């Protein structure tokens, strides 16, 4: 294989850039001081939730050593509410005519009408109220002070119940401080990036953000969003309170915390998924924008711009940029890790000792990003081998030995230490905590259709087939053109891009073969770069044969942009159920049971809204044919007469009928349905 010399990512760093002696001396202290001041401000002005209740006299039945509180709890949406407490000592909770006693996490499901409801809590010293209000399930979330009032229900008033906006603002300020610190550390390299690259990245980022924020919640709530949202909210509350007790980090412990930290900031700002989804949109848009410098480094600037543009509008990336999930930060960390790995050897100083020190620090930086990626999702550990390959392949001959030695020593160690440092659950018993997480994850998922069969164990070709099926046909065609170019070139950047596609597919050899392309999101970015490079190769052939054709690349890019724009418009808002034209579309793959459609809750919400708007008071509703049933949120008066079967129901809601057959009564007639690309996502039947 012909391996050319490494090319620099940026122009030569600006010689006239001021070094900022004072800033360089204090940059490590300033962020610590700023974060300390923000935490101090929060401790000063924060109201503990129990302080928003009135202290009342003890009753004979209260456990010894408790303090009794009373007041009202805001129920913004009536229906089934899971309410309780977490306490190391014995506590007692009275609400809605029920009494809960015990220690640990104690909770009960109650049907409570909307409005203020009376609450009395005899709390042990470390106790807190927890609940799962209507609209969210999974682990319980901490009851916020805004949802409590010291007054009885008839006089209770609440300000933005369900929110903790001060905590959200302080968490955002801390995040901004950390980002600013990283930018200061990298200021010389950032200043050397060309203006054209910055403009391209800015346009891609803004465009990608607008696409994702438009109709942000139109597809409805998806399967894991409430679990991620709740755990993130609790985690951010813990961090701001400097609460690192093991009992405070039980929530969704099977998954690492970084995604939940980010989502948790949005969860503080609103009693809903909107701000947290917006953070996902930002993360995916940033990850796509970073393809500009990556493509410029490996090919040309125009290839990077087109790759970023393609990835920005590919349906899977749009879909997961609108969801509170692990996929959004995965896109960003892989792009960032690859970009840093590509630049490890850029502009090393002439002095060998100084150059070695710079090299070591850059390897540490790559290791930190790998650690953050793993702390977002375990399978992101595959970023490590890819970055290692890039660093070694890019190393100039005189630095190859040092790169191998220091890279092997520093990158894995720093990644492991990073995961440990940012996951408090690991601090006391890291091995036991990881073992518990893996044990909980080691379970078979529900059966799903795949290539005509319904299976829990699809073959190792599962992700490869799904990537081909969910890629638009036009993009798949130019990826094939890239393959032709790669066979002819066989150079360094071909090896790197091919590895970028192949290494994430190693997850195929794990038990995690499910949910379409969720676990191989980095492959989609690699395919976008391949497609852009394929267009560049094709345009080069056209321009070489026709001397008068100078703008073939631009023309082909415009055609691709229009094609992908029409694809998005046709798929809106159910991007999770997009399948390329070569598959026949969602309707065909659902009818033939080739792939899974209507699998994550998308498209269910309009059917629920129809029932809530049209069902008579206290009507009997069946949700037996809804999977996931925890997303089926009905009007408050429809819960008490909820049936356990369809024969007594007046209204029946069906989800994913193509995937999961529903034995409807003969007299049920369809009155509403949600159809996407020829397949029914959900339907409502009336008897």
């Amino acid at each position: 294989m012909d391996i050319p010399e490494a090319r620099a990512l940026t122009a030569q760093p600006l010689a006239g850039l001021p070094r900022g002696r004072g800033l360089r001396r204090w940059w490590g202290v300033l962020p610590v001081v700023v974060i300390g001041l923000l935490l101090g401000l929060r401790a000063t002005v924060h109201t503990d939730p129990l302080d928003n209740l009135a202290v009342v006299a003890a009753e004979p039945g209260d456990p010894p050593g408790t303090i009794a509180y009373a007041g009202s709890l805001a129920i913004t949406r009536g229906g089934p509410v899971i309410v309780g407490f977490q306490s190391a000592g014995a506590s007692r909770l009275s609400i809605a005519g029920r009494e809960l006693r015990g220690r640990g996490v104690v909770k009960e499901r109650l049907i409570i009408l909307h409005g203020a409801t009376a609450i009395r809590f005899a709390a042990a010293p470390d106790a807190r109220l927890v609940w799962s209000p209507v609209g969210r399930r999974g682990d319980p979330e901490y009851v916020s002070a805004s949802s409590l009032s010291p007054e009885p229900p008839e006089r209770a008033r609440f300000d933005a119940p369900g929110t903790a906006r001060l905590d959200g603002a302080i968490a955002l300020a801390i995040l901004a401080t950390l980002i600013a610190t990283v930018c200061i550390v990298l200021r010389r390299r950032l200043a050397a990036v060309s203006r054209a690259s910055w403009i391209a990245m800015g346009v891609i980022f803004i465009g990608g953000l607008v696409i994702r924020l438009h109709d942000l919640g139109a597809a409805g709530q998806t399967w894991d969003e409430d679990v991620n949202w709740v755990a993130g909210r609790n985690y951010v509350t813990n961090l701001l309170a400097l609460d690192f007790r093991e009992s405070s980090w039980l929530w969704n412990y099977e998954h690492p915390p970084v995604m939940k930290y980010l989502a948790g900031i949005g969860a503080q700002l609103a009693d809903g998924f909107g701000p947290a989804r917006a953070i996902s949109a930002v993360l995916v848009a940033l990850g796509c924008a970073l393809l500009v410098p990556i493509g410029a480094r490996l090919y040309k600037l125009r290839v990077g711009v087109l790759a970023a543009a393609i990835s920005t509008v590919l349906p899977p990336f749009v879909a997961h940029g609108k969801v509170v999930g692990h996929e959004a930060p995965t896109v960003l960390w892989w792009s960032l890790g690859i970009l840093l790995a590509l630049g490890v050897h850029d502009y090393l100083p002439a002095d060998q000792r100084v150059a070695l020190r710079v090299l070591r620090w850059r390897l540490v930086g790559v290791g930190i990003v790998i650690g953050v990626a793993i702390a977002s999702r375990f399978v992101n550990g595959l970023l490590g081998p890819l970055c290692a390959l890039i660093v070694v392949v890019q190393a100039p001959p005189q630095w190859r030995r040092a790169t191998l030695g220091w890279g092997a020593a520093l990158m894995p160690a720093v990644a492991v230490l990073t995961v440990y440092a940012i996951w408090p659950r690991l601090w006391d018993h890291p091995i036991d905590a990881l073992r518990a997480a893996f044990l909980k994850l080691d379970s078979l998922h529900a059966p799903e259709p795949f290539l005509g069969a319904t299976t829990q164990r699809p073959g190792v070709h599962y992700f490869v087939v799904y990537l081909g099926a969910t890629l638009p046909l036009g993009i798949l065609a130019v990826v094939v053109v890239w393959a032709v170019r790669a066979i002819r070139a066989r150079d360094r950047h071909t090896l790197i891009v091919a590895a970028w596609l192949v290494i994430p597919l190693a997850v195929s050899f794990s038990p995690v073969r499910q949910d379409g392309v969720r676990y191989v999101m980095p492959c989609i970015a690699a395919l976008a770069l391949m497609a852009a490079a394929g267009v560049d190769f094709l345009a080069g052939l056209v321009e070489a044969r026709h001397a008068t054709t100078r703008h073939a690349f631009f023309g082909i890019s415009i055609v691709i942009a229009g094609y992908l724009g029409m694809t998005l418009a046709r798929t809106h808002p159910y991007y999770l159920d997009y399948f390329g034209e070569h598959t026949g579309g969602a309707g065909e793959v659902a009818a033939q049971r080739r792939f899974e459609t209507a699998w994550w809750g998308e498209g269910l919400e309009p059917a629920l809204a129809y029932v809530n708007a049209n069902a008579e008071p206290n009507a009997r509703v069946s949700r037996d044919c809804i999977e996931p049933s925890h997303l089926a949120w009905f009007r408050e008066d429809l819960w008490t007469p909820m049936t356990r079967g369809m024969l007594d129901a007046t209204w029946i809601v069906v989800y994913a009928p193509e995937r999961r057959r529903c034995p409807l009564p003969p007299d049920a007639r369809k009155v509403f349905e949600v159809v996407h690309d020829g397949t029914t996502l959900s339907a409502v039947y009336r008897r």
Side-chain angles (χ1 to χ4, degrees):
M1 180 181 293
D2 177 29
I3 300 181
E5 290 299 314
R7 291 188 292 119
L9 172 63
T10 66
Q12 183 68 26
L14 303 178
L17 186 69
R19 290 185 174 272
R21 183 176 178 182
L23 185 63
R24 188 174 70 250
R25 179 181 298 174
W26 295 106
W27 73 262
V29 176
L30 286 175
V32 175
V33 171
V34 171
I35 292 173
L37 290 173
L38 289 169
L39 292 175
L41 173 65
R42 193 262 185 185
T44 302
V45 301
H46 172 73
T47 300
D48 187 88
L50 293 184
D51 290 339
N52 249 21
L53 295 174
V55 177
V56 296
E59 295 180 354
D62 292 345
T66 60
I67 299 175
Y69 301 88
S72 300
L73 173 67
I75 306 296
T76 57
R77 184 177 176 184
V81 178
I82 297 175
V83 64
F85 57 85
Q86 182 187 30
S87 174
S91 297
R92 175 192 182 197
L93 174 65
S94 300
I95 182 172
R98 298 289 297 172
E99 182 177 292
L100 285 72
R101 289 176 172 270
R103 65 185 71 222
V105 178
V106 180
K107 56 186 180 178
E108 185 172 333
R109 180 182 182 273
L110 305 171
I111 303 294
I112 306 178
L113 299 181
H114 78 281
T117 190
I119 185 171
R120 186 182 184 278
F121 186 32
D126 66 338
R128 59 182 157 217
L129 292 167
V130 298
W131 68 337
S132 295
V134 172
R136 293 189 288 274
R137 283 298 181 261
D139 290 323
E141 64 194 71
Y142 305 153
V143 176
S144 61
S146 62
S147 293
L148 297 169
S149 169
E151 301 293 336
E154 60 273 14
R155 296 201 305 270
R157 297 293 182 270
F158 304 93
D159 181 19
T163 67
R165 290 173 178 168
L166 173 66
D167 282 1
I170 290 176
L172 272 176
I174 291 174
L175 178 62
T177 301
L178 295 175
I179 294 172
T181 301
V182 172
C183 291
I184 290 172
V185 173
L186 300 176
R187 63 193 183 280
R188 293 184 62 79
R189 304 198 73 191
L190 293 175
V193 176
S194 70
R195 179 179 298 179
S197 293
W198 279 119
I199 292 173
M201 284 189 285
V203 170
I204 294 294
F205 171 71
I206 293 172
L209 192 58
V210 169
I211 289 170
R212 285 156 182 80
L213 293 181
H214 171 66
D215 245 359
L216 185 59
Q221 183 179 343
T222 54
W223 195 300
D224 294 333
E225 281 191 293
D226 47 7
V227 175
N228 298 327
W229 189 97
V230 165
R233 180 170 184 158
N234 290 352
Y235 284 4
V236 170
T237 300
N238 293 341
L239 290 174
L240 295 179
L242 301 179
D243 180 0
F244 302 113
R245 294 172 296 171
E246 185 177 356
S247 60
S248 297
W249 295 87
L250 296 173
W251 325 114
N252 194 231
Y253 65 82
E254 66 270 28
H255 293 293
V258 168
M259 179 278 294
K260 289 170 280 190
Y261 292 156
L262 296 168
I265 296 173
Q268 303 286 344
L269 298 173
D271 187 25
F273 300 116
R277 287 171 175 163
I279 289 173
S280 291
V282 170
L283 297 175
V284 175
L286 280 172
C288 293
L290 289 180
L291 289 182
V292 172
I294 292 173
R297 175 62 181 258
L298 293 173
Y299 296 100
K300 305 172 185 175
L301 177 59
R302 71 182 192 179
V303 172
V305 173
L306 181 58
I310 289 172
S311 66
T312 297
V313 292
L314 284 177
F317 269 14
V318 175
H320 289 286
K322 292 172 171 278
V323 171
V324 183
H326 299 270
E327 296 72 31
T330 291
V331 174
L332 175 58
W333 305 142
W334 277 72
S335 293
L336 183 59
I338 290 167
L339 181 60
L340 292 179
L342 286 169
V344 160
H345 299 94
D346 283 355
Y347 310 120
L348 292 175
D351 186 307
Q352 294 289 305
R353 288 185 299 177
V354 176
L356 182 59
R357 184 168 66 248
V358 171
L359 175 64
R360 288 196 295 255
W361 277 113
R362 290 178 180 177
L363 292 170
V364 167
V366 175
I368 290 173
V369 173
I370 295 170
V372 172
I374 296 170
S376 295
R377 192 176 214 172
F378 285 126
V379 297
N380 287 340
L382 294 170
L383 177 61
L386 177 59
C387 288
L389 181 144
I390 293 172
V391 166
V392 171
V393 168
Q394 289 283 92
Q398 68 271 28
W399 286 106
R400 195 155 290 156
R401 185 171 182 178
T403 300
L404 279 168
W406 285 108
L410 289 175
M411 286 168 55
V414 170
V416 169
L417 289 174
T418 300
V419 174
Y420 178 80
I422 59 183
W423 195 355
R425 181 170 166 78
L426 302 182
W427 291 357
D428 291 334
H429 307 288
I431 302 302
D432 290 343
L434 288 173
R435 184 183 295 116
F438 292 139
L439 283 174
K440 190 166 183 180
L441 290 171
D442 187 21
S443 60
L444 286 175
H445 61 91
E448 63 177 78
F450 182 62
L451 300 183
T454 300
T455 178
Q456 289 180 297
R457 298 180 182 274
V460 294
H461 59 299
Y462 176 88
F463 290 119
V464 174
V465 173
Y466 252 102
L467 285 169
T470 56
L471 205 63
L473 179 60
I475 302 303
L476 191 61
V478 285
V479 168
V480 172
V481 174
W482 173 87
V484 174
R485 173 181 183 162
I487 292 171
R488 294 176 58 175
R490 292 184 297 173
D491 52 16
R492 175 187 282 110
H493 47 252
T494 297
L495 173 62
I496 290 172
V497 176
W500 187 352
L501 175 65
V502 172
I503 287 177
L505 290 172
V507 73
S508 302
F509 299 97
S510 77
V512 183
R513 294 194 293 272
Q514 63 190 66
D515 296 346
V517 297
R518 278 186 67 202
Y519 294 93
V520 291
M521 296 295 282
C523 295
I524 299 173
L527 288 167
L529 183 55
M530 290 176 178
V535 171
D536 180 65
F537 178 66
L538 186 61
L541 293 178
V542 172
E543 291 168 357
R545 292 193 175 189
H546 304 280
T548 57
T549 307
R550 296 183 178 180
H551 304 292
F553 182 88
F554 180 75
I556 298 173
S557 298
I558 292 296
V559 171
I560 287 177
Y563 163 67
L564 291 177
M566 289 188 292
T567 298
L568 281 190
R570 180 173 59 84
T571 310
H572 175 79
Y574 302 115
Y575 308 107
L576 284 168
D577 292 294
Y578 171 78
F579 292 92
E581 304 91 319
H582 49 293
T583 68
E588 179 67 17
V589 302
Q592 301 298 324
R593 303 187 67 78
R594 293 176 189 157
F595 302 107
E596 193 172 32
T597 57
W599 56 281
W600 227 21
E602 70 281 5
L604 174 60
E605 202 165 275
L608 303 177
Y610 182 88
V611 173
N612 289 333
N614 293 280
E616 58 275 12
N618 300 307
R620 292 183 175 273
V621 180
S622 168
R623 58 174 187 164
D624 294 79
C625 287
I626 300 176
E627 184 191 21
S629 61
H630 70 281
L631 302 184
W633 298 108
F634 293 102
R635 210 173 60 210
E636 62 181 29
D637 62 294
L638 302 180
W639 285 98
T640 303
M642 187 74 65
T643 66
R644 299 294 295 177
M646 286 176 280
L647 295 180
D648 296 329
T650 305
W651 297 83
I652 302 169
V653 180
V654 178
Y655 185 65
E658 300 277 3
R659 175 173 58 86
R660 187 170 178 261
R661 303 298 181 187
C662 182
L664 292 165
D667 61 340
R669 60 185 180 86
K670 187 186 296 183
V671 294
F672 179 82
E673 66 178 340
V674 178
V675 178
H676 162 68
D677 196 22
T679 186
T680 299
L681 302 182
S682 63
V684 178
Y685 290 83
R686 179 78 161 85
R687 298 181 66 203

